[in-house]
Amino acid sequence: KKIIEENNFEFKTNIVKTYIEIDEPTLDDNISDIDRIERYVRNHLGYDEIDFTIELLRKVPTVIREDNFKVTITYIKKKNKITILNIESGNTENKLYGVAIDIGTTSVVICLVDLYTKEIVDKASSGNAQIKYGADVIHRIVYSTKKNGLKELNEAVVEETINPLLDSIYTRNSVDKDNVVSLVVAGNTTMTSLFLGVYTDFLRQEPFIPPFLKSPRLIGKDVRLNINDSAYVFIAPSVASYVGGDITAGVLSAGIWSSEENVLFIDLGTNGEIVFGNRDYMMSCACSAGPAFEGGGISCGMRASNGAIEKVKIDKETLKPTLTTIGDVSPIGICGSGIIDLICQMLLTGIIDRRGKIHRDIDNERIIFNEYETGEYVLAFKEEYNLDQDITINEVDIDNFIKAKGAIYSGASVLIESLGMDFSVIDKVYIAGGIGNNLDIENSILIGLLPDIEREKFIYIGNSSLVGSYLALISKDAKKKLQEIGSEITYVELSVYPTYMDEFISACFLPHTNIEQFPTIKSKLGE
Amino acid sequence: MALKALDIFKLTPKKNCKDCGFPTCMAFSMKVASGAVEVSKCPHMSDDSIAKLSEATAPLMRTLKVGSGTSEYELGAETVLFRHEKTLVNRNRYAVAFDDSMTNEQIDFKIANIKAVNYIRIGEEMKAEMVVLEYRYNKDGFLNLVNRVNESGLDVTHIIVCEDVDIAKEAIEILKDKKPIVYGANKENYKGMVELVKDLKLALGVKAANLEELYSTIEAIQGLGYRELLLDVTGENIKDTFTNAVQVRRIALKEQDRTFGYPSIVFANKLSNNDPQMEVAISSIFTIKYGSIIVIDDIDYSKALPLFALRQNIYTDPQRPMRVEPKVYSINNADENSPVIVTVDFALTYFIVSGDIERSKVPTYLAIPDAGGYSVLTAWSAGKFSGSSIAKFIKESKIEEMTKNRDLIIPGKVAVLKGDIEDNLPGWNVIIGTEESMEIPKFLKEYKAKREAVSNA
Amino acid sequence: MAFKMSVQKYSGKISEVEIGRGEKAIKIGGESTLPFYSFDGDTGNTPKVGIEMLDVYPEGWTNEFKEMYKDVCDCPVKWAKYIEENLKPDFICLRLESSDPNGLDRSPEECAKVAKNVVESVKLPMVIAGCGNHEKDAKVFEKIAQAVDGNNCLFLSATEDNYKAVGAASTMAYNHKVVAESSVDINLAKQLNVLLNQLGVKPENIVMQVGCSAVGYGYEYVASTMDRIRLAAFGQNDKTLQMPIVTPVSFESWHVKESVASIEDEPQWGCAEQRGINMEVSTAASALVCGANAVILRHPKSVETIKELVSALA
Ligand code: B12
Ligand code: SF4
C-alpha cells in the first residue's frame, strides 16, 4: 500500500455498491421492476441510463421484493451510464469483494479482498492440478498438443484448482460469489495461455513466439470462474515467451517503475526471470535456472516445508553436520536455502573443490563413491532419524545446483552489462520466489548465486506476483500502471546474446571463475 | 568510441511506440549500438539527437568499392581490432602480381594458374580475386601486359601499380570501365595522380617511405578533397610491415584518427623474396593482422587451401553460441560393429560426452545433428532435438553404411524420445542411456560385454 | 592531428618458464605486449619452435616422413639424435603413442625406460606428450617424471580429468613443468589454472595449451580464445592467465584432407607434401601472431620457414 500512496495512486475503484429504498409499486404506479430501478437511479443517483445482464434480470423480480423494495445494487459507472452487476435484498453495501490469483506452475494462491476496506479477508492455496500432465511448463505445452490436451489442462486449472479454492474461501467467509465483482490474475506466459485455453506450442519452439502478451477484455463468464458472471477480469500482461504476468505484477509491487535507484529483481523460480532497471528503463530476461532452488531435480530435495533441512554447519575435522529443519522436526529432505548452506560448508571444509567435485582422497564414513565413481556426502544416516534411506547430496546434485546458480548470476550480469554497466551500480536487490525467507544472503554470495555487493542491499520479498495482483485489484491506477509495465520492459533473449555463453560457463564455478568479482569472498577461500 | 546502448537510449523520445519495428526504445538503442540498424529507423528522433548520434557513430574507417560486375568488392569499414568483439566486415582479398618484364608465355602461365584455382569451400567461392599490373621501366611491356590481361577474359579486379602519371593514364584508359585500383601516389606525384582518378572515383593507392610521410601525404591528398584511398603498409622488411599494418589500423580504430581510416595493401611477394612457403607464412599473418589486400607472386592449390581456409574462419560471425560441426564422429576407432550415440551440437555437451566415450575405450560412433547449439534439455524444449530431427540426421549421415550395428543410444534426460525415434527409424533399436555423461564409461562397458555374450552364445 | 605512434602500455606480464637444462635450455614467455608488438614494450623471449617425434615407428605418418627418417625411426634414441644434429629445432616433443590403450597400450614402466633413454641422449629440452587418454597419461607421466628427474621436461598435458595426478607428479614430486590443457574456452582455461594453483602447483611452472586446430577447421575459436586470454592477462592483469602458451600444431595440421589427400584423390591439388607443409606453416604462423610462445611442428621445412619468420619478426 505504501507504493500506492508514494506514487499518489488514487485509492479508488470504479465498482460501487449503494443501498437504495425504491417506492413500492401500486395500481397507479405500475411501471416494470426494471423501469422502477432506472427511475430511482435517474432521480437519486444522477445517471441517465442503466444497463444490465440477463443473469441480473433473472434475479430482480424475487430479490427486489424480499425486503419490500429495499435493495443494494452493485454497478460500474461510465460517464452518465451505469452497468448493474448484482442486486441483493437489504443493505449489503459493505459486502463488495475482489479476488487476486497467482497461478504458479507448481502451486496456485488466491486471496479474497474486501474492496471497501482494501483488507485481505482470507488467503488459500493448493497445488496446480495441471501437475499430473507435466511437472514443468515444457511438458505441459507438449501435453497440450495432444488430443484435447489443451481442454484438459484448462479444466485442471479452472474447474479442478481455482474454483474449489474459491468455494472453500467463500464458505469460510460466507461470501456470495456474485459479490465478487473484480478479478486480477497473474501467471507466467504459459500458465496465462492455458488459463485462457489458448494454444501455446509455438511459444516453446524456436523462435519462441507467444500467442499474446496483453489479454482481451474479459468478464467473469468468459473464464468460467465462480465469480459474478459480469465481474471485471484483468490478466497481468506478459513481456515475452518466458517472462510473464507474474513478473510484471512483481515489478509493480517492487516499485521498480518509480524507483530513482537501480533495482535488480530476481525470481528464484524455475524460469529464473530477472529484471533490472529504474524509472527510466527496465530490462528483463529468463535464465531458466530450473527447479533447484525449490529442491527440484536434487536427489533429496524438497520444497521449504516441515522437515526440510534449511540450515547446515559442518565440523571441519569430523565432517559431521549439525542440521536445522523447518518446524524443528527430524529431517526428511533438504530445501533450496538448505542446499545453499550445505554447498558453502562443503566448500569451506574442503570436501569439494571449486568445481563442486568431491576430493577423492578424503577418508570419512560420510563420503561414499558409487559404481559410477560419483561422489556422495551423507547428511543424515537413516539410523540417526529412522528414515527408510540416508539423506545425501551427490556430485550430480551439486553440478545441477551450480548450473542453476550459474544461470541466475550470468543472466543478471549479462542484463546489466548489456547497458555497459556492472554490479556496482545496483542500489537494491529484490529476491522473489518460493525459496523461503531464511535465504542466507552471505552464503548465496559465497557460492556465487548473488553478486558481492553490500549485504543490506538485498531484500527478500516472497510472492511478489500476488502482491502485484492485489494492488491492481484495489486501485484502478495501479491496474493501468501494470498494463504499461508490460510494454515498457525490454526483453533480452539470452540464447542469442553474444557473450551469454561465456558468462554462463564462467559462473559455473564456486563462487566464480573471475574471483576479482567476489572481493570479500576471496580471503575466505584462502585465495 | 562505439556508443553504448544507454547513451543512445538517452537520445530517443522514450515513447516505446514500436514504429521502428522494435518493442521498446531501449531494444532499438541496443540494436543501433550493435551496428545492426541505422539511427534513422526511428521516425521520431529529434534532429539534434540524430546529428549528435550520427557524428558519434560515423565510421572510423572508410568503405572502398573497387572492381566491376562479378569482380566488384568492398574493402575497409572495419570497426574493431579483434574478431571476438564484433563480426569483421570485409574479408581480405588476394592479388597475383604481374610486371612489365614478363613475356607473353609467362603472362599466360599466371593467368592459367588464376583460372585453375577456383573451388567451393563450405558454400563459398574460393579464388584469387585481383591482379597487380606493375610498371617498372618497360612502358611497351607494361601496356602489352595490361592489354593482354584485359583481353584474356580473366574476371578480376585490376590494380595498376605505376608511379609515372602519364603511363598510368594510358593504363587507366584501357581498363577504365572495370573500375581498377590505381596505386602509386606518393609525396611528389599525388596531385597528378588525384587528377587521374578523381572523375572516375577510382581507389588511389598511397605509398611512402615511413608512417610519418604516409600520414602527411594522406593529409595533403585529403586537402584536395579526395578520400577514396588505399594505404600501402609494406615496409623494408617483415617486421616494419607488421608494425605499419598494426599501427595504421590501431591509430584509426583505437586512437580514432581518421587520417589512417582506410583499407591497406601488403606486398607479401616483395617480403618473401621468392620463397613460396615464407609467402604463405607472411600472408597468414596479414590475413589476421589487417591486410585488406595481400599481393602474392603466384597462386596454386598448395597456397590457396590454407590461406582461403584461414580467411574463411577469421571472417565467420563470432556471435553464435559455441557449437561443433553437425556430423558423425568416430571415437576409439569405431568400426562396422560399433553402436551409435547421439547428442546435441552444443560445444560444452560435445566435449564432455566425447571425452567420456573415449574414457570407456569402447569403439563408438557419436552422431551430432544440428540442435541449435543448445544443451540436451534446452534443445528438446525448443523443438530442436526431437524424434524427427534425430531420425532425419541418422538417415542423411548414411551411418548405416559405416556400421551394421543398429543400436542407437540416446541421452537419459530425453528418454521420452524413444518412441518417436523408433517410429521414424524402422530397423533401429533405441537404447535409453544414463542421465549424466560421467556414467557413460561404465554404461558402454556393460553394453559391450552384454553384446559379446549374446554373439558368443 | 599530427602523426603519433600508438603505444599501449599494460600492467600485466606473462611469466617466464624455463624448459630443459644446461646451455640448450630455453625460456618462453616474459612479454608484456601482444605478440611481436615491439612498439608497445618488452616482447619477452622469442617464440620457440619444436619438432615432434614418436616412441614407435610412425606408421600413421605420410610416406615423406617414413622416407626421411627411414634409418632412425625404429629407435627413438637414434631418431632424437638425428633431429638434434640435422634439424636443430629449439626443443623436441617426444610423443608416447605406444602408451595408447587403443594401440600398443605399453605399460608406464616401459614408457619411462624409453623416455629416460631419449631424454638423456640429447641436450635439447624435451616436451613429453602423452597419447591423449587422460587416465593413461596420468599413470605414464608419474613414472616418467621420476625417471627423467633433473631434466626439467615439460609434460603435455594436464587436463580437467587428471590435473591432480599430473600436476602433482610433474611439478611437486619432481621439478618439471606442466602444460594445462583446455579446449578453446577462456573460462575453462582459467578454471584449470585456478584448480592447479589450489592444488599447490606454482604459476611459474605452468604453460597453457588453450586449444589447437588446423586453419579452416574451427581455427577462429583458437584465434579468439588466445586473443581474449592475452587481452585479459595484460589488460586486466589477470594472474590466472599470465602463463606462456604452447600450440601443438602438428598434432592437428597433418590430419586434415588438405595435408593427406593423395594426388590420385585430388589431382588438381598437386603434390601432397607441399600442401602438408603449407597447412602446417599457415597454422603455425597464425598461432604465433595470436599468442603462441612455442609451436610444435613435424616437417623440417616448416621448422626452417617458421624459425626464419620468428627471427624476422622478433
Ligand atoms: C544454461 C541454460 C539455458 C541457456 C541456454 C544454454 C544452451 N546453449 O543450451 C538459456 C538461458 C538460453 C536457456 C534457455 C531456455 N531453457 Co534452459 N537451461 C539452462 C541450464 C541452467 C543449464 C543447461 C546446460 O548448460 N547444461 C549443461 C550441458 C552439458 O548439459 P546437457 O547438454 O544436458 O548434457 C548432459 C547430459 O544430458 C548428459 N548427456 C548429454 N548427451 C548425452 C548422450 C548420452 C548417450 C548420455 C548417456 C548422456 C548424455 O551428459 C551431459 C553432462 O552430464 C538448465 C538447468 C540446469 N540447472 O541444468 C536449463 C534447462 C535445460 N532449460 C530449460 C528450459 C525449459 C529452457 C527454455 C525452453 C525456457 C526457459 N525457461 O527459458 C529456454 C529455451 C530457449 C530460450 N527461449 O531462451 C529446462 C529444460 C527442461 C524442461 N523440462 O523444462 C531446464 C532443465 C531448466 C528447467 N528445468 O526449467 N537455458
Ligand atoms: S520508433 Fe523511436 S520512439 Fe518509437 S519505439 Fe522506436 S525508438 Fe522508440
Side-chain angles (χ1 to χ4, degrees):
Chain A
K1 285 219 191 88
K2 191 163 59 50
I3 288 166
I4 295 290
E5 279 130 24
E6 266 165 26
N7 296 278
N8 55 52
F9 279 173
E10 274 161 46
F11 235 111
K12 59 179 175 42
T13 102
N14 51 15
I15 299 159
V16 179
K17 269 186 113 165
T18 314
Y19 169 68
I20 55 177
E21 292 177 353
I22 307 171
D23 315 340
E24 291 181 46
T26 63
L27 280 173
D28 303 329
D29 174 7
N30 56 7
I31 61 172
S32 76
D33 293 338
I34 290 294
D35 293 339
R36 185 171 303 281
I37 295 172
E38 186 162 40
R39 184 177 65 193
Y40 185 93
V41 166
R42 223 180 310 106
N43 300 338
H44 295 83
L45 301 183
Y47 298 98
D48 311 337
E49 253 182 288
I50 67 165
D51 184 8
F52 49 87
T53 59
I54 179 68
E55 290 83 11
L56 189 282
L57 179 59
R58 288 187 184 120
K59 283 188 181 174
V60 165
T62 48
V63 167
I64 206 166
R65 288 174 177 73
E66 270 167 30
D67 191 1
N68 323 13
F69 285 80
K70 295 187 199 63
V71 289
T72 307
I73 52 170
T74 317
Y75 55 86
I76 292 180
K77 45 188 173 159
K78 265 219 186 65
K79 297 196 198 65
N80 60 357
K81 195 174 101 174
I82 63 168
T83 308
I84 300 180
L85 298 176
N86 195 11
I87 185 165
E88 294 160 290
S89 83
N91 187 339
T92 63
E93 269 190 355
N94 55 10
K95 288 207 179 62
L96 187 67
Y97 299 99
V99 168
I101 303 182
D102 171 38
I103 306 181
T105 312
T106 325
S107 57
V108 171
V109 186
I110 69 169
C111 72
L112 181 66
V113 176
D114 180 318
L115 289 179
Y116 279 110
T117 65
K118 318 290 173 200
E119 293 307 327
I120 296 180
V121 174
D122 197 353
K123 259 173 87 174
S125 82
S126 74
N128 185 333
Q130 289 179 343
I131 282 209
K132 57 179 181 281
Y133 301 124
D136 53 74
V137 291
I138 299 301
H139 281 97
R140 287 186 212 170
I141 297 176
V142 169
Y143 187 82
S144 73
T145 58
K146 300 203 166 35
K147 210 162 100 42
N148 54 52
L150 186 58
K151 193 161 95 50
E152 284 167 6
L153 281 161
N154 177 262
E155 281 158 8
V157 69
V158 174
E159 276 77 13
E160 293 168 38
T161 310
I162 297 178
N163 279 341
L165 272 178
L166 287 173
D167 294 343
S168 71
I169 215 166
Y170 291 159
T171 40
R172 267 210 304 272
N173 303 280
S174 57
V175 165
D176 162 6
K177 82 170 182 70
D178 282 333
N179 271 327
V180 176
V181 293
S182 181
L183 176 80
V184 173
V185 176
N188 64 46
T189 318
T190 308
M191 286 302 115
T192 316
S193 307
L194 295 179
F195 173 65
L196 297 180
V198 176
Y199 189 77
T200 59
D201 198 36
F202 303 110
L203 170 156
R204 163 181 82 98
Q205 295 172 21
E206 206 182 64
F208 321 115
I209 306 300
F212 67 97
L213 295 178
K214 292 201 181 73
S215 69
R217 264 187 56 72
L218 294 168
I219 56 169
K221 72 174 178 331
D222 297 334
V223 291
R224 302 200 315 277
L225 288 188
N226 298 349
I227 54 175
N228 187 301
D229 282 346
S230 38
Y232 184 74
V233 175
F234 175 76
I235 313 264
S238 298
V239 174
S241 46
Y242 291 106
V243 176
D246 53 346
I247 296 309
T248 48
V251 165
L252 174 70
S253 69
I256 301 176
W257 48 276
S258 69
S259 157
E260 297 295 334
E261 299 173 316
N262 290 325
V263 177
L264 180 67
F265 170 97
I266 303 177
D267 185 327
L268 286 181
T270 312
N271 274 338
E273 298 94 340
I274 299 177
V275 178
F276 169 72
N278 47 47
R279 57 180 322 141
D280 296 332
Y281 54 81
M282 287 184 282
M283 320 280 303
S284 92
C285 70
C287 49
S288 90
F293 301 112
E294 287 149 0
I298 308 285
S299 42
C300 299
M302 59 184 281
R303 297 177 59 71
S305 51
N306 268 7
I309 300 169
E310 61 174 347
K311 274 223 160 309
V312 180
K313 196 93 180 68
I314 299 180
D315 177 279
K316 202 155 181 22
E317 302 319 323
T318 65
L319 301 189
K320 190 174 180 315
T322 31
L323 311 172
T324 327
T325 63
I326 298 180
D328 230 345
V329 295
S330 68
I332 50 174
I334 186 162
C335 66
S337 52
I339 296 167
I340 291 176
D341 267 22
L342 176 58
I343 292 180
C344 279
Q345 287 295 306
M346 289 174 82
L347 185 65
L348 293 173
T349 53
I351 296 175
I352 52 175
D353 66 17
R354 290 180 58 194
R355 260 180 327 154
K357 293 284 182 278
I358 294 178
H359 286 297
R360 285 327 187 234
D361 39 26
I362 299 177
D363 176 17
N364 184 300
E365 53 163 358
R366 287 182 176 270
I367 309 267
I368 321 163
F369 293 94
N370 68 16
E371 76 273 47
Y372 290 114
E373 291 160 33
T374 315
E376 211 168 38
Y377 170 74
V378 180
L379 269 157
F381 289 106
K382 51 182 183 295
E383 301 75 19
E384 285 173 304
Y385 302 95
N386 55 54
L387 307 156
D388 40 33
Q389 48 168 292
D390 301 346
I391 299 177
T392 67
I393 186 162
N394 61 41
E395 282 173 340
V396 174
D397 295 331
I398 298 172
D399 181 52
N400 202 344
F401 199 90
I402 286 179
K403 285 205 288 270
K405 75 92 183 175
I408 293 278
Y409 186 88
S410 52
S413 67
V414 155
L415 214 49
I416 293 173
E417 185 255 338
S418 70
L419 298 169
M421 300 194 234
D422 60 41
F423 282 126
S424 59
V425 304
I426 301 175
D427 303 310
K428 273 217 185 57
V429 181
Y430 288 120
I431 300 169
I435 190 161
N437 43 28
N438 47 40
L439 169 71
D440 184 313
I441 299 297
E442 190 58 36
N443 283 349
S444 304
I445 294 171
L446 188 79
I447 65 165
L449 166 63
L450 298 175
D452 189 349
I453 57 177
E454 296 82 351
R455 293 348 178 216
E456 56 282 3
K457 290 186 174 175
F458 294 92
I459 302 140
Y460 176 74
I461 56 172
N463 189 337
S464 57
S465 159
L466 192 64
V467 173
S469 317
Y470 163 75
L471 293 176
L473 191 64
I474 58 170
S475 151
K476 193 157 69 68
D477 291 328
K479 191 179 285 183
K480 188 161 154 298
K481 190 60 211 167
L482 179 49
Q483 191 76 328
E484 283 162 15
I485 286 173
S487 59
E488 274 166 16
I489 295 182
T490 300
Y491 177 72
V492 174
E493 174 60 70
L494 292 180
S495 56
V496 295
Y497 192 85
T499 57
Y500 173 72
M501 256 307 68
D502 277 322
E503 294 290 334
F504 173 63
I505 293 175
S506 183
C508 288
F509 208 60
L510 296 172
H512 198 273
T513 305
N514 303 333
I515 192 71
E516 302 73 34
Q517 288 182 22
F518 290 79
T520 66
I521 305 295
K522 211 170 167 179
S523 49
K524 273 200 189 138
L525 289 178
E527 281 296 306
Chain B
M1 247 332 264
L3 265 180
K4 290 212 181 70
L6 195 54
D7 311 326
I8 299 168
F9 174 72
K10 287 191 179 109
L11 299 168
T12 64
K14 301 188 186 63
K15 282 174 25 208
N16 294 338
C17 68
K18 301 181 179 27
D19 294 350
C20 55
F22 296 98
T24 61
C25 297
M26 177 57 88
F28 171 74
S29 308
M30 287 171 77
K31 282 287 175 212
V32 172
S34 70
V37 80
E38 286 304 316
V39 177
S40 51
K41 266 294 206 95
C42 164
H44 315 297
M45 193 78 89
S46 68
D47 292 343
D48 79 334
S49 296
I50 289 195
K52 234 187 260 148
L53 271 174
S54 48
E55 183 259 319
T57 52
L60 290 165
M61 190 175 168
R62 198 157 179 82
T63 308
L64 220 55
K65 268 213 173 56
V66 294
S68 65
T70 48
S71 275
E72 182 180 66
Y73 300 101
E74 275 193 357
L75 301 168
E78 296 304 342
T79 55
V80 292
L81 289 173
F82 298 96
R83 66 173 296 282
H84 64 271
E85 291 164 339
K86 217 162 30 167
T87 314
L88 298 179
V89 184
N90 289 311
R91 60 189 54 204
N92 25 43
R93 302 296 171 185
Y94 281 85
V96 174
F98 294 77
D99 64 61
D100 54 10
S101 70
M102 289 167 76
T103 64
N104 284 346
E105 291 68 32
Q106 287 170 324
I107 294 172
D108 294 348
F109 176 73
K110 276 199 182 177
I111 289 176
N113 286 349
I114 296 174
K115 286 183 177 165
V117 180
N118 190 324
Y119 56 98
I120 300 294
R121 186 178 198 276
I122 315 179
E124 288 171 12
E125 189 186 14
M126 298 285 150
K127 63 177 182 179
E129 297 92 348
M130 301 184 176
V131 290
V132 155
L133 309 171
E134 185 173 2
Y135 163 73
R136 293 187 185 153
Y137 334 94
N138 177 345
K139 180 180 173 189
D140 298 338
F142 175 61
L143 293 177
N144 167 57
L145 166 67
V146 173
N147 279 311
R148 197 167 185 91
V149 169
N150 188 28
E151 281 136 19
S152 71
L154 193 59
D155 186 358
V156 285
T157 308
H158 303 80
I159 306 174
I160 299 167
V161 173
C162 170
E163 298 185 54
D164 179 311
V165 177
D166 304 327
I167 298 177
K169 189 171 182 8
E170 289 186 49
I172 293 171
E173 202 40 45
I174 302 167
L175 293 169
K176 63 180 186 312
D177 46 22
K178 294 197 172 168
K179 263 187 108 1
I181 296 171
V182 180
Y183 168 93
N186 55 45
K187 65 178 177 1
E188 277 87 27
N189 70 5
Y190 70 86
K191 286 201 183 66
M193 294 296 271
V194 169
E195 276 317 305
L196 285 184
V197 293
K198 141 153 95 68
D199 308 341
L200 291 165
K201 231 160 158 298
L202 300 177
L204 179 63
V206 186
K207 67 177 286 188
N210 52 49
L211 288 180
E212 289 79 4
E213 190 183 294
L214 183 63
Y215 194 89
S216 54
T217 311
I218 297 169
E219 280 187 318
I221 295 174
Q222 286 181 162
L224 302 175
Y226 201 69
R227 292 179 178 281
E228 305 301 318
L229 302 183
L230 175 72
L231 310 185
D232 180 5
V233 291
T234 318
E236 289 313 314
N237 49 46
I238 300 175
K239 184 179 171 109
D240 291 351
T241 308
F242 183 79
T243 301
N244 294 346
V246 173
Q247 280 291 325
V248 163
R249 187 65 63 91
R250 196 161 82 177
I251 287 173
L253 298 186
K254 181 169 164 297
E255 318 302 348
Q256 306 203 351
D257 180 343
R258 289 190 170 78
T259 313
F260 274 166
Y262 299 101
S264 55
I265 183 167
V266 176
F267 287 87
N269 58 339
K270 293 199 169 110
L271 297 169
S272 56
N273 43 56
N274 298 324
D275 172 351
Q277 268 177 226
M278 182 52 84
E279 195 177 64
V280 167
I282 292 169
S283 304
S284 303
I285 286 183
F286 292 109
T287 298
I288 295 174
K289 291 285 176 180
Y290 319 134
S292 311
I293 298 177
I294 298 172
V295 182
I296 49 180
D297 174 51
D298 199 351
I299 186 75
D300 62 28
Y301 269 93
S302 81
K303 285 189 191 172
L305 291 170
L307 293 179
F308 295 162
L310 171 63
R311 174 177 64 179
Q312 188 171 43
N313 280 171
I314 296 296
Y315 283 85
T316 45
D317 171 354
Q319 306 312 339
R320 280 190 315 286
M322 249 277 280
R323 337 185 206 194
V324 293
E325 192 193 340
K327 66 175 183 179
V328 175
Y329 296 78
S330 156
I331 298 182
N332 300 331
N333 318 337
D335 55 32
E336 47 157 12
N337 302 318
S338 307
V340 180
I341 278 187
V342 66
T343 190
V344 291
D345 60 349
F346 180 36
L348 188 63
T349 309
Y350 169 79
F351 287 125
I352 293 173
V353 172
S354 59
D356 284 322
I357 296 174
E358 265 165 35
R359 260 178 47 229
S360 75
K361 304 196 186 92
V362 172
T364 311
Y365 287 108
L366 178 55
I368 303 284
D370 175 0
Y374 292 119
S375 70
V376 168
L377 278 173
T378 311
W380 168 74
S381 310
K384 299 286 282 186
F385 191 56
S386 62
S388 50
S389 75
I390 294 171
K392 181 164 166 291
F393 175 79
I394 295 291
K395 286 183 200 132
E396 279 167 8
S397 68
K398 297 200 183 62
I399 196 163
E400 289 175 348
E401 288 152 21
M402 301 180 201
T403 176
K404 297 205 295 293
N405 189 330
R406 289 294 171 272
D407 287 343
L408 180 64
I409 304 168
I410 64 173
K413 287 182 179 177
V414 284
V416 70
L417 290 179
K418 178 175 164 68
D420 281 357
I421 299 174
E422 280 173 344
D423 298 347
N424 288 288
L425 265 183
W428 280 83
N429 161 34
V430 173
I431 300 174
I432 296 173
T434 53
E435 290 256 327
E436 296 303 329
S437 169
M438 59 174 108
E439 297 150 346
I440 287 180
K442 184 169 182 304
F443 175 87
L444 278 180
K445 284 180 192 137
E446 282 164 4
Y447 163 84
K448 189 163 180 254
K450 209 159 70 222
R451 234 179 98 81
E452 268 150 11
V454 160
S455 59
N456 305 346
Chain C
M1 291 153 113
F3 170 75
K4 198 155 81 44
M5 274 291 265
S6 155
V7 179
Q8 169 71 55
K9 278 285 166 244
Y10 285 123
S11 51
K13 193 174 180 347
I14 302 304
S15 59
E16 192 173 71
V17 176
E18 184 172 40
I19 304 162
R21 50 159 176 37
E23 95 279 13
K24 286 283 184 194
I26 57 170
K27 284 201 177 111
I28 56 175
E31 72 269 26
S32 56
T33 73
L34 288 175
F36 309 117
Y37 278 32
S38 46
F39 40 84
D40 281 344
D42 172 9
T43 53
N45 295 287
T46 54
K48 299 299 183 291
V49 181
I51 275 199
E52 172 195 13
M53 61 169 282
L54 305 180
D55 65 342
V56 279
Y57 179 78
E59 194 51 56
W61 291 14
T62 48
N63 296 339
E64 296 79 25
F65 293 104
K66 292 178 187 162
E67 180 51 34
M68 183 189 308
Y69 291 127
K70 63 180 181 307
D71 306 331
V72 292
C73 58
D74 279 334
C75 157
V77 173
K78 272 205 243 139
W79 192 347
K81 278 180 151 4
Y82 176 87
I83 290 175
E84 179 169 61
E85 278 133 27
N86 300 297
L87 307 177
K88 300 188 175 27
D90 298 320
F91 62 93
I92 295 178
C93 170
L94 170 63
R95 226 173 150 191
L96 298 153
E97 206 164 87
S98 69
S99 66
D100 189 344
N102 292 327
L104 298 173
D105 198 9
R106 265 209 202 126
S107 72
E109 293 70 20
E110 276 176 286
C111 294
K113 243 205 297 34
V114 169
K116 185 176 169 56
N117 295 342
V118 171
V119 168
E120 285 168 357
S121 68
V122 289
K123 292 197 206 57
L124 284 175
M126 190 66 74
V127 171
I128 310 284
C131 63
N133 179 302
H134 302 156
E135 256 167 279
K136 183 64 181 291
D137 283 354
K139 298 197 187 80
V140 168
F141 285 167
E142 266 158 341
K143 286 283 178 284
I144 295 181
Q146 183 184 16
V148 298
D149 191 17
N151 288 292
N152 187 20
C153 298
L154 176 62
F155 282 79
L156 182 70
S157 46
T159 65
E160 205 192 8
D161 301 342
N162 63 14
Y163 77 91
K164 289 198 181 101
V166 175
S170 56
T171 68
M172 295 159 82
Y174 305 96
N175 36 44
H176 300 284
K177 302 291 186 306
V178 71
V179 176
E181 178 177 330
S182 53
S183 44
V184 284
D185 184 307
I186 182 170
N187 292 302
L188 297 181
K190 255 178 87 98
Q191 286 171 15
L192 185 52
N193 292 342
V194 165
L195 291 171
L196 280 168
N197 204 343
Q198 209 179 14
L199 182 70
V201 177
K202 293 206 219 50
E204 54 274 22
N205 290 335
I206 300 176
V207 176
M208 288 192 285
Q209 201 282 68
V210 296
C212 173
S213 57
V215 286
Y217 290 82
Y219 182 76
E220 69 271 24
Y221 291 124
V222 177
S224 289
T225 302
M226 282 199 197
D227 285 345
R228 295 180 61 204
I229 285 178
R230 280 296 177 254
L231 287 168
F234 295 131
Q236 291 139 35
N237 196 3
D238 184 337
K239 297 269 181 296
T240 64
L241 287 171
Q242 291 175 344
M243 291 84 171
I245 293 175
V246 62
T247 306
V249 171
S250 58
F251 291 16
E252 299 295 332
S253 73
W254 289 95
H255 292 302
V256 294
K257 67 175 183 305
E258 284 86 347
S259 304
V260 293
S262 69
I263 201 151
E264 290 72 32
D265 315 340
E266 298 283 354
Q268 268 203 332
W269 283 13
C271 140
E273 182 178 16
Q274 190 56 56
R275 280 188 265 120
I277 294 171
N278 284 357
M279 283 298 284
E280 184 166 55
V281 161
S282 179
T283 305
S286 305
L288 287 168
V289 89
C290 288
N293 300 90
V295 287
I296 301 170
L297 308 178
R298 186 177 292 181
H299 201 290
K301 282 211 187 113
S302 314
V303 174
E304 245 172 75
T305 301
I306 293 299
K307 274 181 85 63
E308 197 188 321
L309 178 75
V310 162
S311 54
L313 275 168

